[in-house]
């Protein structure tokens, strides 16, 4: 029987969390999957722990005592649930999500049937029904200059960002990807054991990118070292085994798959938007950390200098608009945010 831990790291989104947990229970009802919901509360000030004790006593609540970030909070829960030797899969789920129908059982069944897959994720939709782009290739050096920077604001359809977001592929077709946005990720236990936990050095942003890169590398290395483990799926299914843990270790699970038949609604950014200017700082500091880890200090230094120039120019543009009397409160807010980012980048 499949066993699953659903891990939710929450910070000041009490009502969204309440809806998220209800949707998880509804999705898994009658599925036959043995599961436990684990919530890590990152020192919320909105009464989240009290709500959980009253409305969801079945949930395992881990109170961090401080804000550990996304990676640190998930690691706290992962250390706890990985003590269960019978655990097959972990689902990392954002608190600002709502599971649609049988999305979770569909993701679980997919991993059951594809032992070479380490991670599978659903199609995410915004509350208005629009599809949220979640499929990604690994970033190339050009990506760091053209994705989520002032250059992309000026040229949103640039080829570097489009390639990175896999914009040329349909979003309604199952497909292998390099990595997926981390709002909802079902991960094989064996993949976590091989790759390790998330890197808590990332306070927010890029942690799921670095982790999935590590998962792919660890699985691919195992595949190269043990080529006889790569039994075709059809042969594996013919064995008719229910030992999911054994299947996970016998195969070099390394692939990451986007599964659109499973859908989850994502109220994106409801935790991070509380950080205002800090959100911008966290994004770029995490990005620089990732560049240093994967491409070296030289490229990281170039990206850092580029960001200083780009956002310095934005300060000048916003200041000119403020002097011209154009929407001064907006301009003043942007100037303050960009100046805070420049100060942070100066020491990054």
């Amino acid at each position: 029987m499949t066993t699953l831990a659903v891990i939710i790291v929450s910070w000041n989104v009490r009502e969204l969390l309440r809806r998220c947990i209800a949707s998880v229970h509804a999705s898994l009802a009658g599925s036959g999957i043995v599961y436990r919901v684990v919530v890590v509360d990152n020192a919320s000030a909105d009464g989240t722990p009290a709500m959980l004790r009253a409305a969801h006593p079945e949930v395992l609540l881990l109170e961090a005592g401080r804000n550990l970030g996304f990676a640190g909070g998930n690691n706290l829960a992962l250390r706890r649930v990985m003590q269960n030797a019978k655990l097959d899969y972990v689902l990392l789920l954002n608190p600002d999500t709502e599971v649609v129908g049988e999305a979770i059982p569909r993701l679980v069944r997919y991993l059951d049937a594809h032992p070479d897959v380490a991670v599978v994720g659903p199609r995410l939709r915004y509350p208005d029904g629009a599809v949220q782009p979640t499929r990604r290739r690994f970033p190339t050096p050009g990506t760091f200059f053209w994705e989520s920077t002032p250059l992309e604001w000026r040229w949103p359809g640039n080829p570097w960002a489009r390639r990175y977001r896999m914009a040329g592929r349909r979003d309604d077709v199952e497909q292998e990807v390099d990595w997926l946005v981390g709002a909802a990720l079902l991960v094989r236990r064996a993949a976590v054991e091989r790759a390790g936990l998330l890197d808590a050095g990332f306070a927010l942003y890029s942690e799921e990118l670095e982790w999935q890169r590590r998962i792919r590398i660890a699985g691919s290395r195992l595949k190269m070292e043990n080529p006889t483990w790569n039994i075709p799926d059809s042969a594996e299914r013919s064995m008719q085994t229910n030992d999911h843990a054994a299947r996970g270790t016998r195969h070099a699970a390394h692939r990451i798959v986007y599964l659109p038949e499973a859908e989850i609604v994502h109220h994106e950014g409801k935790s991070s938007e509380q950080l205002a200017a800090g959100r911008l700082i966290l994004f770029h500091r995490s990005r620089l950390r990732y560049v240093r880890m994967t491409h070296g200090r030289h490229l990281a230094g170039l990206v850092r200098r580029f960001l200083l120039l780009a956002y310095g120019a934005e300060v000048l543009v916003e200041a000119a608009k403020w002097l011209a009397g154009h929407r001064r409160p907006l301009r003043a807010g942007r100037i303050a945010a960009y100046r805070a980012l420049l100060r942070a980048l100066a020491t990054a």
Side-chain angles (χ1 to χ4, degrees), residues 268-311:
E268 187 183 22
K270 293 303 180 182
S271 291
S272 60
E273 72 180 10
Q274 301 170 65
L275 300 172
R279 182 178 182 179
L280 195 62
I281 293 170
L282 287 170
F283 176 84
H284 286 297
R285 294 188 84 164
S286 292
R287 176 58 64 87
L288 285 173
R289 176 182 172 85
Y290 178 81
V291 178
R292 280 194 295 269
M293 293 174 67
T294 58
H295 291 77
R297 291 187 174 275
H298 177 68
L299 181 60
L302 290 177
V303 174
R304 176 177 166 273
R305 288 192 288 274
F306 159 74
L307 292 172
L308 287 168
L309 288 171
Y311 283 100

Side-chain angles (χ1 to χ4, degrees), residues 22-341:
S23 73
V24 168
H25 288 323
S27 181
L28 286 162
S31 66
I33 297 169
V34 177
Y35 71 97
R36 183 76 184 274
V37 178
V38 182
V39 172
V40 177
D41 183 68
N42 270 342
S44 297
D46 65 349
T48 291
M51 180 277 289
L52 289 172
R53 293 188 184 98
H56 291 289
E58 79 286 353
V59 167
L60 174 59
L61 171 62
L62 302 178
E63 295 188 70
R66 59 190 178 91
N67 194 335
L68 299 177
F70 179 82
N74 276 296
N75 286 348
L76 180 65
L78 284 168
R79 291 188 187 98
R80 180 68 173 268
V81 302
M82 295 286 281
Q83 295 174 13
N84 178 3
K86 296 182 179 180
L87 179 71
D88 295 312
Y89 309 128
V90 292
L91 174 64
L92 273 54
L93 190 65
N94 276 18
D96 57 354
T97 58
E98 291 183 75
V99 183
V100 178
E102 297 182 353
I104 297 177
R106 286 171 182 165
L107 293 171
V108 168
R109 287 195 294 268
Y110 190 89
L111 282 192
D112 282 348
H114 299 84
D116 62 332
V117 175
V119 180
V120 63
R123 174 161 54 180
L124 298 183
R125 290 189 182 274
Y126 294 111
D128 65 0
V131 174
Q132 177 186 349
T134 59
R135 299 162 298 143
R136 297 287 190 270
R137 291 186 173 93
F138 288 130
T140 62
T143 307
F144 304 125
F145 298 92
W146 285 100
E147 190 266 335
S148 296
T149 71
L151 283 185
E152 186 180 20
W153 303 347
R154 304 289 183 263
W155 186 12
N158 74 80
W160 296 275
R162 283 183 55 82
R163 181 189 180 280
Y164 174 63
R165 298 191 182 106
M166 304 182 69
R169 287 193 185 181
R170 291 171 50 181
D171 60 33
D172 59 348
V173 177
E174 174 191 321
Q175 57 200 268
E176 184 172 352
V177 300
D178 284 344
W179 67 284
L180 292 162
V181 170
L185 297 173
L186 183 67
V187 186
R188 192 178 297 277
R189 178 213 179 98
V192 179
E193 291 176 334
R194 283 194 294 268
L197 303 179
L198 287 89
D199 185 339
F202 294 95
L204 193 63
Y205 302 113
S206 294
E207 65 281 294
E208 76 264 50
L209 160 59
E210 189 278 332
W211 194 45
Q212 289 174 78
R213 179 177 181 271
R214 216 172 342 119
I215 286 172
R216 288 185 65 97
I217 290 173
S220 297
R221 183 179 296 124
L222 188 65
K223 178 182 178 182
M224 292 176 64
E225 293 173 353
N226 301 276
T228 58
W229 285 10
N230 297 316
I231 304 171
D233 286 351
S234 58
E236 181 68 24
R237 285 194 295 270
S238 70
M239 298 177 186
Q240 297 182 344
T241 176
N242 291 320
D243 187 352
H244 305 298
R247 287 192 292 179
T249 54
R250 291 182 60 204
H251 287 261
H254 64 286
R255 294 199 302 128
I256 297 174
V257 172
Y258 166 79
L259 188 68
E261 70 181 52
E263 291 195 336
I264 291 178
V265 175
H266 186 205
H267 304 266
E268 187 183 22
K270 293 303 180 182
S271 291
S272 60
E273 72 180 10
Q274 301 170 65
L275 300 172
R279 182 178 182 179
L280 195 62
I281 293 170
L282 287 170
F283 176 84
H284 286 297
R285 294 188 84 164
S286 292
R287 176 58 64 87
L288 285 173
R289 176 182 172 85
Y290 178 81
V291 178
R292 280 194 295 269
M293 293 174 67
T294 58
H295 291 77
R297 291 187 174 275
H298 177 68
L299 181 60
L302 290 177
V303 174
R304 176 177 166 273
R305 288 192 288 274
F306 159 74
L307 292 172
L308 287 168
L309 288 171
Y311 283 100
E314 290 301 314
V315 170
L316 296 177
V317 169
E318 295 297 330
K321 292 179 179 179
W322 185 90
L323 289 171
H326 183 264
R327 301 177 67 183
R328 282 189 163 180
L330 173 65
R331 305 305 166 194
R334 287 182 177 177
I335 290 170
Y338 297 155
R339 290 183 64 185
L341 174 61

